[in-house]
Amino acid sequence: MTASGDSYEEALAALSSLITKRSRADKSNKGDRFELVFDYLKILDLEEDMLKMKVIHVAGTKGKGSTCAFTESILRSSGFRTGLFTSPHLIDVRERFRLDGKDINEDKFLDYFWWCYNRLKERTNEDIPMPTYFRFLALLAFKIFAAEKVDAAILEVGLGGKFDATNAVQKPVVCGISSLGYDHMEILGDTLGKIAGEKAGIFKLGVPAFTVPQPDEAMRALEEKASELNVNLEVVQPLNARQLNGEKLGLDGEHQYLNARLAVSLASTWLHQIGKLEVPSLTQMSILPEKFIKGLATASLQGRAQVVPDQFIERRTSSDLVFYLDGAHSPESMEVCAKRFFLAVKGDNQSEGSDHLANGGSSGSSHDKWSGEENCQQILLFNCMSVRDPNLLLPHLRNTCANNGVRFKKALFVPNMSVYHKVGTAADLPENDPQVDLSWQLTIQKVWERLVHSEREGKEDIGNNDKSRNSEVFTSLPMAIKWLRDSVHESSSATHFQVLVTGSLHLVGDVLRLIRK
């Protein structure tokens, strides 16, 4: 297989050409001729491979990426060759395709990319047009996993389930549904029942499925679909920390114990059915098999509860400017994100001299005044897609932080740099665009200012003088990062800046490009 195209940039430009100009929230996206996916599989000679592929298919609102990462890691630790397809990518599109736990290398990516792209270009027409961006990426994943002869393919649904490109899989080994909540309502429906119905679209006749405790309305919809298709749907409870025999999960946060337990069930089912391995029955209290513990402890996923010091700033210590990256973008995940941030900064501020990004201070126990707080400034760096409601996201974030004693000195609002009509590399990122439309960021800022103001003085209109102290809208992310670096240089030597970056995985990816060497 040879690449047609001189560079990675050419491949990214070709991929960008598949991004439709329509908003993802366009109601006409629903279904969007889903049957075309099967035409594409035929063009790419993948029909037979798809029937042979041993797939674990995972949908959900929150935690599906983490569940997939845990599952892949368990199977790899058990000695199997794995393929993992997730979305979105943060920095490089190759992150979406992992082989044996590593992003696919550039040469292989280019070979498979051009083979699929050119073949589709030659054989598509007016009736069967070129696939859209995400569909192409899913098809590319199928090609990569088939050609690389993976034992297990773990597929994370992109959006919904029923009409998602990954749902071209007709006979998965097992399906999983992670926690459900309100997200993408403009496409999936405005009730939890409708959303759950779309997610349950990945259930297949007689294929076992697992889920986690869900709100009643969502659970009813899942059970109804499972019953129609003779699916044995089992509900799992969170893993008990003792089952890890002293090890820690590779992904941080209390909620990960639930995702880890879902992954344990998915991996166990796959190992039993395909690997023909006897997995001991897992009671709530029994210690997990050694390979499961290793898999859970070594799992990794970028942009989920990731702590990264700025690697470019000329600084006195590594903790002068630290970014706490969390791709949370639903009301429920905002609360989880806020709790994680509190625990992380509290831990950092109490661990001077330790290896964990020390920030100085003596021990302290009060939520309202934990150690080192006077020397640390918490800053919020936020953006969310316009299909999401900041009136739902920001109160959850601010109130949970405030209840735990975290008060943001300032909130910074920025547009994402990685615009949706182009797939690029770090070199492509614009420094500043004077023509950029900031109306959405100004809307988000107003929501934040109302929250700050109502907390302080009741609910009258906010004055402009106050606004400049509480928050700021920047025309670009590099300008906001420059402001943070300048603030560090201008501050006293004992001050540390702790920046929570959240609201959008795209924003998290953009920040990573700018602060990591």
Side-chain angles (χ1 to χ4, degrees), residues 1-3 107-108 110-116 143 147-148:
M1 213 170 5
T2 56
D107 288 344
K108 277 187 179 179
L110 287 172
D111 276 351
Y112 293 128
F113 176 89
W114 289 117
W115 189 89
C116 291
K143 175 63 184 175
E148 291 290 322

Side-chain angles (χ1 to χ4, degrees), residues 203-351:
F203 289 168
K204 302 294 184 303
L205 188 65
V207 172
F210 293 87
T211 189
V212 298
Q214 306 282 9
D216 289 347
E217 185 186 352
M219 191 60 88
R220 277 197 301 274
L222 294 182
E223 286 168 346
E224 194 176 303
K225 190 69 178 170
S227 172
E228 280 173 31
L229 292 170
N230 193 26
V231 166
N232 181 21
L233 177 64
E234 202 174 308
V235 181
V236 301
Q237 299 301 323
L239 207 61
N240 188 309
R242 280 176 295 224
Q243 295 179 270
L244 295 170
N245 205 19
E247 290 286 345
K248 287 192 169 152
L249 293 175
L251 302 178
D252 269 347
E254 197 61 32
H255 65 297
Q256 294 294 5
Y257 285 95
L258 190 54
N259 297 329
R261 184 64 182 84
L262 181 56
V264 164
S265 293
L266 295 171
S268 297
T269 304
W270 191 96
L271 287 167
H272 181 70
Q273 288 197 18
I274 305 303
K276 302 301 179 199
L277 294 181
E278 275 312 311
V279 181
S281 68
L282 303 162
T283 64
Q284 275 299 100
M285 300 311 292
S286 62
I287 287 175
L288 292 170
E290 193 181 326
K291 287 171 179 172
F292 277 60
I293 293 173
K294 183 189 173 192
L296 293 171
T298 56
S300 65
L301 198 60
Q302 279 204 110
R304 278 68 164 189
Q306 200 174 355
V307 183
V308 183
D310 185 0
Q311 294 177 3
F312 288 96
I313 191 171
E314 291 174 17
R315 59 188 184 272
R316 303 166 295 259
T317 72
S318 65
S319 58
D320 282 355
L321 179 56
V322 178
F323 291 84
Y324 297 76
L325 306 164
D326 198 311
H329 50 263
S330 70
E332 299 88 349
S333 57
M334 279 290 144
E335 281 188 31
V336 172
C337 161
K339 286 174 187 163
R340 263 201 305 248
F341 181 58
F342 157 68
L343 290 170
V345 297
K346 184 185 180 195
D348 288 350
N349 297 344
Q350 290 182 349
S351 59

Side-chain angles (χ1 to χ4, degrees), residues 391-406:
N391 289 292
L392 291 175
L393 302 182
L394 289 175
H396 282 273
L397 178 67
R398 184 177 167 80
N399 296 342
T400 308
C401 279
N403 291 341
N404 286 293
V406 174

Side-chain angles (χ1 to χ4, degrees), residues 97-112:
F97 315 93
R98 280 199 207 174
L99 293 167
D100 291 327
K102 294 187 176 70
D103 299 350
I104 188 171
N105 69 45
E106 202 168 293
D107 288 344
K108 277 187 179 179
F109 175 83
L110 287 172
D111 276 351
Y112 293 128

Side-chain angles (χ1 to χ4, degrees), residues 4-17 110 113-114 117:
S4 156
D6 296 329
S7 70
Y8 194 52
E9 278 63 39
E10 277 187 72
L12 295 182
L15 183 56
S16 297
S17 72
L110 287 172
F113 176 89
W114 289 117
Y117 187 85

